[in-house]
Amino acid sequence: MTHDLPDGRLFIGGEWEIGTGAEITSIFPADGSVNRVLKGASRADGERAIARALKAQADPAWRGLKPHERARYLHRIADGIDANAQRIAFIQTRDTGKTLRETSALVASAAATFRYMAAALETLDDSLTSPRGDYLTMSVHEPLGLVAAITPWNSPIASDAQKVAPALAAGNAVLLKPASWSPLVSLELARIVEEAGLPKGLFSVLPGAGREIGNLLVEHPSIAKVSFTGGTSTGRTLARQAAEKLMPVSLELGGKSPTIVFSDADQELAVAGILFGVFSSSGQSCIAGSRLFVQRAIYDQFVTRLVAATKALVVGDPLDPATQVAPLVHPDHRSAVAAHVAQAVEDGATVLCGGFAPEGGIYDTGSYYMPTILSNVTNTDRICREEVFGPVLVVLPFDDEADVIAQGNDNDYGLACGLWTRDFPRAYRVARAITTGTVWINTYKQFSISTPFGGEKDAGMGREKGREGIRAYMAQKSLYVDLTGRPHPWARLQEG
Ligand code: NAD
């Protein structure tokens, strides 16, 4: 089925070219077979993309478009994504190992993101500000110019759209660098953008090594902003480089998100939400609810129920509609997840379920890892502090509201939180006291393009999505227009 996959050429400033950087091998994590071997982008490829982008972005054919005219391109890209939905979902499943059901949902959300940003673009207004003198004052917005979007491997089409749609809507040119484990779906997006007729040069897709092409994009003087999603340590490095050239950077980073079950919770709702929150995407999600606090009065009974439900999850082939937990993205990543669990056990954790790679049949060739629950841990243990980015949940008891707020916040990350209770005033109090960018109440991992998203503390800086999401890719400018028609009195022109 590899004929259904992009051929491995890169999209460099509107031209399909073979990269001249290091080789990238995309594998299908379900059986380890090779999807494509391609050459990534070198610095020279990146320089070429930047030169073409500069030209295209400055061209009045793009720069001069009114918002509603620019919006048409976004609608066409959304239509192209919808028309190719099955193919894109298949490519993303091949690239990442995610279930087809999940990648289909991500593709639909990518199309919706382009449509939403088109609508937002047409309806976002510049403003007249209150005059403080005999002049008219306006606050208007300009494109930044060239924007680099650097994305991780876990949900490429959705995280690509989340950056590319608002950045294009704002009138910029965009250089997208996907992760090396998942280059193909972003190259497919390039094909769709090309078919939508976006002027050549405005969009590039440059898979390649972070330290080579990624670095170029961050350091290049022509790049006006980097929008990054990925790990916290990479984000920190980027922020340092960005500070050097005083460039704005938005960072969507990692998480160790608490989910909290109070004793009055609807337990059926809570179990389903917690399972989905931590084990869908095999836990390879920045917002995975990986740190579970259960109120002491129901701890034993609830954890028993959760473990039983976890053991019933179907772990298998991502192309099989029955599968709930698919393989991890890469054998190397599975080794990293297994090492986290081994370390936790060495530190004293008890394995309640999972904790191993399944064997036999399809499991022998794919990067599978069983959904794992660990107890007998304290909130300060490594396993409760570090992001595993796999199907691993830690469970801890708590006493009361104050205790769980303190434990929930006692972590370097601040991305998301889930609360399960029937007591709304309590849910509201806890939601306001938890230091995270998103709080879900009696639900988890729901996403809406109309609602801002981002992290606190080590989980990142800045917000994406929402109508204001476009503004993050624009430079605000103030205009003053004289209304008097008289020379400024300071110059005393009348006196001479
Ligand atoms: P990563 O940080 O290793 O890589 C992310 C991207 O940055 C890749 O494209 C990579 O090639 C590039 N990169 C690496 N080094 C670079 C450098 N020096 N300069 C420029 N670019 C560089 O992350 P990953 O392993 O691909 O993804 C997993 C991480 O992403 C997890 O920590 C996860 O929590 C995070 N994530 C966050 C969100 C969010 O919205 N907060 C969403 C998804 C994933």
Side-chain angles (χ1 to χ4, degrees), residues 104-313:
S104 301
L106 291 172
V107 173
S109 95
T113 297
F114 276 95
R115 283 210 178 86
Y116 178 87
M117 288 301 167
L121 170 62
E122 286 206 52
T123 53
L124 264 185
D125 293 322
D126 285 327
S127 53
L128 277 181
T129 52
S130 303
R132 306 279 294 185
D134 292 333
Y135 43 73
L136 193 65
T137 43
M138 285 174 241
S139 173
V140 300
H141 297 82
E142 310 285 0
L144 292 172
L146 267 52
V147 169
I150 302 181
T151 54
W153 45 262
N154 60 322
S155 304
I157 191 73
S159 43
D160 292 358
Q162 212 165 294
K163 297 181 187 311
V164 175
L168 283 179
N172 300 291
V174 185
L175 299 106
L176 170 65
K177 196 210 91 58
S180 296
W181 281 343
S182 59
L184 298 180
V185 77
S186 304
L187 290 168
E188 182 64 8
L189 178 64
R191 190 184 69 76
I192 284 157
V193 169
E194 183 184 39
E195 275 182 15
L198 190 78
K200 250 185 199 314
L202 286 173
F203 185 52
S204 288
V205 177
L206 306 166
R211 261 174 273 107
E212 191 175 4
I213 183 68
N215 242 325
L216 172 82
L217 295 178
V218 179
E219 288 176 347
H220 200 286
S222 296
I223 301 290
K225 170 166 181 154
V226 170
S227 178
F228 172 81
T229 299
T232 297
S233 69
T234 317
R236 225 184 275 286
T237 306
L238 260 61
R240 272 193 215 106
Q241 291 168 296
E244 201 52 49
K245 59 184 247 207
L246 291 181
M247 172 181 68
V249 54
S250 84
L251 303 172
E252 300 288 353
L253 308 176
K256 191 77 191 181
S257 298
T259 45
I260 299 167
V261 183
F262 286 95
S263 52
D264 70 333
D266 178 328
Q267 293 195 14
E268 200 177 3
L269 213 65
V271 168
I274 289 161
L275 291 182
F276 176 65
V278 67
F279 296 131
S280 61
S281 306
S282 303
Q284 302 166 116
S285 167
C286 55
I287 47 170
S290 53
R291 208 161 39 110
L292 173 62
F293 295 95
V294 183
Q295 199 154 18
R296 211 174 289 276
I298 59 162
Y299 181 85
D300 288 338
Q301 174 256 331
F302 185 82
V303 171
T304 304
R305 189 169 174 177
L306 187 70
V307 168
T310 302
K311 285 180 174 165
L313 293 172

Side-chain angles (χ1 to χ4, degrees), residues 67-110:
H68 69 283
E69 293 166 333
R70 227 158 46 224
R72 274 185 219 140
Y73 287 106
L74 278 87
H75 279 296
R76 264 186 246 149
I77 295 169
D79 291 344
I81 293 174
D82 277 340
N84 291 277
Q86 276 184 335
R87 179 182 154 83
I88 304 170
F90 172 76
I91 295 170
Q92 179 150 331
T93 289
R94 292 285 309 196
D95 236 2
T96 61
K98 284 190 162 213
T99 64
L100 207 48
R101 189 191 306 176
E102 225 177 303
T103 54
S104 301
L106 291 172
V107 173
S109 95

